[in-house]
Amino acid sequence: WSSSRTVPQGVIPFKSGVIFTQRARVEAPVSTILPAGSSTDLLLVLSLCSHRINNAFLFAVKSKKKKLQLGVQFVPGKIIVYVGHKRSVYFDYNVHDGQWHNMAIDIRGQTVTLFTSCGKRRVHADLHFKKDEALDPHGSFLFGKMNQHSVQFEGAICQFDIYPSAKAAHHYCKYLKKQCRQADTYRPNLPPLIPLLPRDPSASPSTPPHMEPSLQGLRNLTTAAPSL
């Protein structure tokens, strides 16, 4: 989001990107995010840091009839990639550890591949079923949720890019923004930017009434960001 646009509710800009809080509500027509007739074959390049342990979707693409066509969900210890209604594959990978994660997810034909460590590590998963070839141009794109009633992804996003070509997959770090590469490179030299928030907000009885649990620790991130 540029400064000339209105920042969505529940989204906090910081130097390297944006922070999604519990109050975030970001939804847009698929046609404004992806070209008309876009295939379900695509590549995601991501740089993010989760702030709360939950089972939220990073994003979801739903048809006009509200059927899930595409989505990525982060559950403790796993990344689940959905490529159709109730159709998915998963990878053993923990995003909920309070660290920055740079990765690429390639959906190509009957295979989904997770790339990490700038392409040095890759894991394949076979779909074992025929997926939809195209996304519904009249559908909706939800960021951080599966639907308006589900739990919200809470965390910092430095980069979220969708590519139609797979050529970036093996060398996805070349496509990472400079500030995202630095966030990952210098991470070991920084103190934890944000402590993982408890699963249950009631687990923090000492929280001042004026500060939401989802906003705890945000000051640490925004003050540390310039040093990145």
Side-chain angles (χ1 to χ4, degrees), residues 11-176:
V11 178
I12 303 173
F14 75 107
K15 185 178 180 181
S16 298
V18 291
I19 297 169
F20 281 78
T21 70
Q22 201 171 42
R23 289 186 172 185
R25 298 291 183 271
V26 179
E27 181 176 358
V30 169
S31 58
T32 64
I33 306 293
L34 298 166
S38 289
S39 167
T40 49
D41 283 356
L42 46 80
L43 172 73
L44 300 169
V45 176
L46 309 172
S47 178
L48 51 87
C49 177
S50 170
H51 296 170
R52 185 186 292 278
I53 301 172
N54 58 24
N55 296 328
F57 273 65
L58 177 65
F59 77 96
V61 176
K62 307 188 81 171
S63 69
K64 187 177 181 180
K65 295 182 178 180
K66 306 300 182 184
K67 296 291 186 180
L68 181 64
Q69 286 194 290
L70 189 68
V72 172
Q73 182 183 21
F74 296 144
V75 304
K78 297 185 188 301
I79 295 175
I80 305 176
V81 180
Y82 293 83
V83 284
H85 184 60
K86 296 184 178 179
R87 294 175 173 177
S88 64
V89 295
Y90 71 87
F91 300 94
D92 292 321
Y93 188 96
N94 187 30
V95 170
H96 296 304
D97 60 359
Q99 305 294 327
W100 279 94
H101 293 274
N102 295 336
M103 68 183 75
I105 298 175
D106 184 50
I107 304 170
R108 201 69 40 186
Q110 300 296 106
T111 303
V112 181
T113 307
L114 172 68
F115 293 88
T116 55
S117 301
C118 289
K120 295 177 182 177
R121 296 181 183 177
R122 65 192 70 173
V123 182
H124 305 282
D126 294 324
L127 297 178
H128 300 298
F129 54 82
K130 186 177 180 180
K131 62 181 174 58
D132 295 335
E133 292 303 318
L135 300 174
D136 184 355
H138 303 292
S140 57
F141 183 100
L142 289 85
F143 200 100
K145 300 174 80 75
M146 200 275 282
N147 58 52
Q148 292 298 344
H149 305 290
S150 61
V151 65
Q152 169 70 42
F153 169 80
E154 297 177 56
I157 305 289
C158 183
Q159 185 164 346
F160 179 97
D161 283 343
I162 301 175
Y163 294 90
S165 171
K167 67 179 182 179
H170 301 320
H171 310 289
Y172 71 88
C173 277
K174 293 181 179 179
Y175 293 79
L176 284 174

